[in-house]
Amino acid sequence: MPAERTLHVADSTVIVFPDAAAASRAAADRIARVVAEAVPARGKAILGLATGATPERVYDDLAARVKAGSLSFRDVVSYNLDEYYPIQPLDPLSYRYYMHRNLFSRVDLAPNRAHVLDGTVPESAAADHAAEFDRWIEADGGLDVQLLGIGRNGHIGFNEPSELSPAEFAALPTRMVDLHPITKADAVREFGSAEAVIPRALTMGVRQILAARSIIMLATGPKKAPVVTQALKGPITASLPASLLRTVADKVVWLLDEPAAAELG
Ligand code: PGA
């Protein structure tokens, strides 16, 4: 199998792997390395985690390392990017449940250190809850690494395309959002029908994502090729949220499989 290849697209580092399994393994390697470096240096590692189809293999890989004894989450604190609103944690469609199924139940991470925005807070308390989420991350010293996926509309977390200026967009805090039509269309896969899709969510803000000490963008499959190309080569604009990653390009790595990289040229 051919080896990975590294591209420099303007200031961005892009590593292209032969397939999604290899790209996912590279993401897991990087997360394991962050844990191995942060825990001795600061006593804990602060991980920003993502949901969706793409990171499932990363969590399989991390869980396998824990089982084999080469990695521990004992000194890890995690913060997830987003959660539908409203939703109960035991709803199989909730991201809390996704994280339980794919990672939390399989590793030695203390439940009170695994933070997922709470889809059950009363609406009148949602803004306070979101602000508190940012304060918790900051009190923990900020994210050592944020794992990201990219939506077909370029969203990161549920920071959806916007008409704000790039500077205004980059300053957005954790908050309640309305989901974009493309996000809702893609969520039909999980929810079963367009009517069943929960149209709102709580999302970590762009500010917190861009403040992470390192960022791993993992994108696989041919459906992501157009948006990956636009994000890396088009204008830096809030109408394509992932393009803002280029404002902090020195701490971002794009891990792609060949199909997702197919239009980079
Ligand atoms: P996916 O979602 O991994 O299910 O494609 C990515 C995203 O929307 O961020």
Side-chain angles (χ1 to χ4, degrees), residues 116-238:
V116 181
L117 284 154
D118 184 352
T120 73
V121 289
E123 184 141 8
S124 59
D128 281 348
H129 174 57
E132 183 178 53
F133 195 79
D134 280 334
R135 287 199 301 273
W136 287 339
I137 295 173
E138 281 148 23
D140 264 328
L143 300 166
D144 287 304
V145 63
Q146 177 64 57
L147 176 63
L148 293 178
I150 185 168
R152 284 190 306 124
N153 60 5
H155 74 195
I156 46 176
F158 278 138
N159 293 286
E160 301 284 28
S162 156
E163 289 173 5
L164 294 175
S165 72
E168 288 167 332
F169 193 68
L172 285 175
T174 297
R175 68 202 184 285
M176 181 87 79
V177 293
D178 292 320
L179 299 182
H180 184 270
I182 292 179
T183 301
K184 287 189 278 193
D186 284 348
V188 170
R189 184 177 55 85
E190 300 150 57
F191 284 87
S193 72
E195 300 69 50
V197 173
I198 297 176
R200 287 196 297 169
L202 294 162
T203 187
M204 188 190 291
V206 184
R207 176 168 64 79
Q208 203 65 256
I209 294 172
L210 296 182
R213 280 186 278 286
S214 62
I215 298 174
I216 300 167
M217 166 57 86
L218 177 64
T220 58
K223 282 192 204 146
K224 299 291 171 69
V227 76
V228 162
T229 304
Q230 262 182 294
L232 284 164
K233 293 186 143 178
I236 294 178
T237 166

Side-chain angles (χ1 to χ4, degrees), residues 216-265:
I216 300 167
M217 166 57 86
L218 177 64
T220 58
K223 282 192 204 146
K224 299 291 171 69
V227 76
V228 162
T229 304
Q230 262 182 294
L232 284 164
K233 293 186 143 178
I236 294 178
T237 166
S239 63
L240 201 116
S243 68
L244 270 285
L245 295 174
R246 284 155 53 203
T247 64
V248 292
D250 56 331
K251 60 183 181 179
V252 181
V253 65
W254 294 69
L255 304 180
L256 309 177
D257 64 357
E258 288 287 353
E263 296 178 21
L264 280 176

Side-chain angles (χ1 to χ4, degrees), residues 24 51-58 95 98 102 189-190 218 220 224:
S24 303
T51 50
T54 313
E56 285 177 6
R57 280 200 184 87
V58 179
Y95 286 158
Y98 168 105
N102 286 289
R189 184 177 55 85
E190 300 150 57
L218 177 64
T220 58
K224 299 291 171 69

Side-chain angles (χ1 to χ4, degrees), residues 27-86:
D29 277 341
R30 283 170 182 263
I31 292 169
R33 207 179 313 145
V34 166
V35 173
E37 287 170 7
V39 170
R42 286 193 299 285
K44 58 187 175 184
I46 316 299
L47 306 184
L49 301 177
T51 50
T54 313
E56 285 177 6
R57 280 200 184 87
V58 179
Y59 299 140
D60 286 345
D61 194 303
L62 292 173
R65 290 170 202 234
V66 170
K67 194 166 177 212
S70 62
L71 172 67
S72 171
F73 280 67
R74 197 183 50 237
D75 299 311
V76 165
V77 179
S78 73
Y79 291 91
N80 260 83
L81 282 171
D82 43 23
E83 177 63 288
Y84 290 107
Y85 185 88

